[in-house]
């Protein structure tokens, strides 16, 4: 190749990069002044965003869950607030109640269909025979469909319950948040499927995810905020079960995280596709993985310590045992040992071996709300503004 040709090829690519980066800069036509006025938040997901569904349906988390913020168990798997709580707070909205919770709930500004241990695909081993919630994403969608019509019936009837239901117009104005997929990967790993087998089932998970997003859209949803899945290979429940798997420099399980990253790649592609198919909707894909991973990779930088060790757990290198979880009691050598909180949950990342501490959740929220981790760099407050691919 002549020097000239090489230079012009270089120039061609240089121009491509310029053009692409200009597109990237211009892409979000954002109105910086006006933040979105979401009157409600409607969430579908798993324990990462469950504010009481699992507790209502099955077994409520016990003390020391909730200690840091609520000063009592608060139907969440954490010592305090979850990312979804910080999101609600950012819009001046009350914490969203669980659809399944029949006691004292008020859905006027949002509703939560998430349950801990939920999957996108129908799980094989459902509680109490296995660990997974029956309320997989298809059922969460069906609950949403019922809720949408019944809540409006209740409002029309008036009386006692009307004020705890959202206005009809909120369904098209609400922010719809999704955080689900971690348990689909976990189900495969714990069913002893190979890494390759779990990896190969990712496209089916994503197809089923997209189908549900479209169903939610068909009922009027327009603003979508989608979390990708976190680094499952950094969590003690996976670390302790697959201790012989290859580790990365942060001490996380490399193959398990690679599957999570493949899930995220396919999810991101699906969001791009959804933007094309549903141009009147706004989609924000949020790279929660990157934020969570940065905590495990550089804990000190962010004010955290003992990144891979559960604050509230029992035994082993990761302070986690599947035999006795946070809040439980185990008899060791004739003595009962209560699995309580570590001394300083405020400097810890992992709460109970599976879930994050309030301190970590706050850090994650602070990062993602800026928009730096959104594919279109849309901040949370502007998530109603449509962007093109
Ligand atoms: C539900 O919350 C809304 C908004 O905070 C309030 O106006 C309404 O009175 C509440 N309904 C009940 C039944 O508590
Ligand atoms: C997976 O393998 C482990 C170790 O061989 C075994 O103890 C466990 O029961 C298996 N789990 C399932 C769901 O087959
Ligand atoms: C998962 O599958 C994709 C597509 O075939 C492949 O590129 C990737 O390397 C696989 N990852 C793992 C961990 O097997
Ligand atoms: C239980 O007692 C045995 C025998 O005294 C001892 O070796 C073991 O370390 C004890 N286990 C724990 C967890 O304290
Ligand atoms: C491990 O969990 C126990 C509760 O069982 C807690 O007291 C302890 O501080 C935790 N260890 C670490 C290193 O956080």
């Amino acid at each position: 190749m002549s020097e000239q040709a090489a230079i012009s090829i270089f120039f061609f690519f240089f121009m491509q990069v310029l053009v692409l980066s200009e597109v990237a800069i211009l892409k979000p036509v954002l109105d910086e002044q006006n933040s979105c006025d979401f009157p409600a938040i409607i969430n579908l997901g798993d324990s990462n965003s469950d504010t009481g569904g699992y507790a209502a349906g099955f077994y409520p988390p016990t003390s020391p869950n909730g200690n840091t913020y609520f000063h009592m168990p608060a139907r969440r798997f954490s010592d305090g607030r979850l990312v979804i709580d910080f999101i609600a707070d950012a819009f001046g909205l009350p914490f969203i109640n669980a659809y399944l919770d029949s006691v004292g709930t008020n859905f006027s500004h949002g509703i939560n269909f998430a349950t801990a241990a939920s999957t996108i695909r129908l799980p094989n081993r459902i509680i109490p025979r296995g660990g997974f919630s029956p309320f997989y994403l298809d059922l969460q969608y069906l609950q949403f469909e019922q809720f949408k019509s019944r809540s409006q019936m209740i409002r029309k009837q008036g009386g006692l319950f009307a004020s705890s239901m959202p206005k009809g117009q909120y369904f098209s104005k609400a922010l719809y948040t999704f955080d689900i997929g971690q348990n689909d990967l976990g189900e495969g790993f714990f069913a002893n499927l190979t890494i390759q087998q779990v990896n190969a089932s990712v496209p089916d998970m994503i197809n089923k995810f997209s189908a549900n997003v479209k169903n939610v859209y068909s009922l009027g949803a327009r603003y979508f905020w989608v979390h990708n899945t976190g680094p499952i290979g950094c969590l003690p429940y996976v670390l302790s079960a697959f201790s012989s798997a290859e580790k990365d420099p942060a001490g996380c399980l490399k193959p398990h995280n690679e599957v999570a990253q493949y899930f995220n790649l396919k999810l991101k592609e699906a969001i791009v596709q959804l933007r094309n198919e549903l141009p009147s909707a706004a989609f924000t894909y949020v790279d929660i993985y990157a934020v969570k991973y940065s905590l495990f990779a550089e804990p000190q930088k962010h004010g955290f310590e003992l990144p891979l060790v559960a604050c509230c757990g029992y035994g082993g290198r990761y302070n986690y045992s599947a035999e006795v979880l946070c809040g439980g009691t185990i008899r060791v050598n004739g003595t009962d040992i209560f699995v309580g909180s570590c001394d300083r949950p405020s400097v810890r990342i992992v709460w109970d071996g599976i879930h994050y501490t309030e301190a970590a959740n706050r850090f994650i929220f602070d990062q993602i709300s800026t928009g730096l981790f959104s594919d279109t760099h849309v901040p949370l407050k502007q998530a109603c503004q449509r962007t093109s691919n």
Side-chain angles (χ1 to χ4, degrees):
M1 195 195 310
S2 73
E3 197 176 307
Q4 187 63 45
I7 286 169
S8 53
I9 285 172
F10 171 78
F11 187 70
F12 175 77
F13 280 110
F14 181 67
M15 287 309 290
Q16 289 292 306
V17 169
L18 263 188
V19 169
L20 286 175
S21 58
E22 241 166 85
V23 169
I25 292 162
L26 293 176
K27 196 165 36 175
V29 188
L30 292 180
D31 183 343
E32 299 288 338
Q33 309 301 314
N34 293 324
S35 34
C36 310
D37 193 13
F38 299 118
I41 293 172
I42 297 177
N43 182 67
L44 296 89
D46 59 23
S47 60
N48 287 301
S49 61
D50 179 1
T51 55
Y54 183 95
F58 313 108
Y59 319 100
T62 55
S63 180
N65 283 286
N67 264 7
T68 296
Y69 182 76
F70 301 97
H71 309 297
M72 59 177 184
R75 313 176 80 72
R76 291 155 174 77
F77 291 93
S78 181
D79 59 321
R81 288 163 287 183
L82 309 181
V83 173
I84 191 72
D85 295 317
F86 290 111
I87 291 178
D89 205 44
F91 292 108
L93 298 173
F95 295 155
I96 53 173
N97 290 150
Y99 172 73
L100 292 175
D101 197 346
S102 51
V103 183
T105 36
N106 186 332
F107 303 121
S108 57
H109 293 284
I111 186 158
N112 197 350
F113 297 95
T115 66
S118 278
T119 46
I120 297 170
R121 305 198 301 172
L122 177 64
N124 286 315
R125 290 168 298 119
I126 285 175
I127 302 162
R129 183 160 287 169
F132 294 94
S133 166
F135 302 108
Y136 72 118
L137 194 55
D138 289 20
L139 288 184
Q140 293 186 23
Y141 162 71
L142 288 177
Q143 293 176 337
F144 168 63
E145 184 184 40
Q146 269 203 63
F147 175 73
K148 195 189 168 200
S149 63
R150 290 184 66 218
S151 64
Q152 297 315 294
M153 233 162 60
I154 301 286
R155 274 185 69 87
K156 277 203 198 88
Q157 282 167 9
L160 199 55
F161 301 115
S163 75
S164 54
M165 295 297 151
K167 293 180 179 161
Q169 74 213 44
Y170 286 6
F171 288 98
S172 60
K173 292 183 170 170
L175 182 65
Y176 289 77
T177 53
F178 290 77
D179 191 325
I180 194 158
Q182 180 175 326
N183 294 319
D184 292 85
L185 305 182
E187 197 199 14
F189 297 145
F190 284 95
N192 293 336
L193 299 188
T194 64
I195 291 294
Q196 286 70 29
Q197 284 171 322
V198 182
N199 194 57
S201 62
V202 163
D204 187 49
M205 296 169 193
I206 300 299
N207 287 341
K208 293 195 158 68
F209 177 83
S210 287
N212 278 293
V213 167
K214 286 183 198 170
N215 287 340
V216 171
Y217 172 91
S218 72
L219 292 182
R222 289 299 175 267
Y223 309 123
F224 296 87
W225 178 265
V226 180
H227 293 172
N228 70 6
T229 197
I232 189 171
C234 301
L235 295 174
Y237 81 112
V238 176
L239 281 162
S240 61
F242 306 99
S243 50
S244 59
E246 186 188 348
K247 303 212 174 43
D248 71 10
C252 302
L253 300 182
K254 202 162 168 259
H256 299 77
N257 277 350
E258 278 170 5
V259 179
Q261 285 172 291
Y262 180 56
F263 178 96
N264 291 340
L265 175 78
K266 299 309 281 181
L267 178 63
K268 193 172 175 176
E269 284 174 14
I271 297 294
V272 167
Q273 177 78 19
L274 285 164
R275 269 192 206 111
N276 289 334
E277 286 178 35
L278 311 173
S280 61
F283 288 96
T284 310
Y285 167 91
V286 185
D287 192 2
I288 284 262
Y289 183 102
V291 181
K292 287 180 173 172
Y293 191 78
S294 75
L295 282 176
F296 294 110
E298 299 184 291
Q300 285 88 0
K301 184 176 160 193
H302 306 300
F304 291 92
E305 60 186 40
L306 296 171
L308 304 175
V309 180
C311 163
C312 182
Y314 178 78
R317 191 169 160 196
Y318 305 107
N319 205 29
Y320 177 84
S321 163
E323 303 302 312
V324 59
L325 301 178
C326 179
T329 301
I330 188 170
R331 200 167 183 84
V332 181
N333 283 352
T335 314
D336 283 337
I337 297 180
F338 175 66
V339 180
S341 172
C342 62
D343 288 338
R344 296 202 300 150
S346 61
V347 296
R348 300 293 288 276
I349 299 166
V350 178
W351 168 241
D352 57 3
I354 305 171
H355 308 102
Y356 291 76
T357 59
E358 154 151 329
N361 287 330
R362 178 197 288 281
F363 174 85
I364 295 160
F365 168 79
D366 286 346
Q367 298 295 310
I368 62 171
S369 57
T370 63
L372 283 177
F373 293 89
S374 307
D375 61 337
T376 51
H377 287 183
V378 171
L380 176 65
K381 290 277 178 76
Q382 258 118 51
C384 59
Q385 298 185 26
R386 275 181 294 278
T387 53
S388 52
N389 285 313

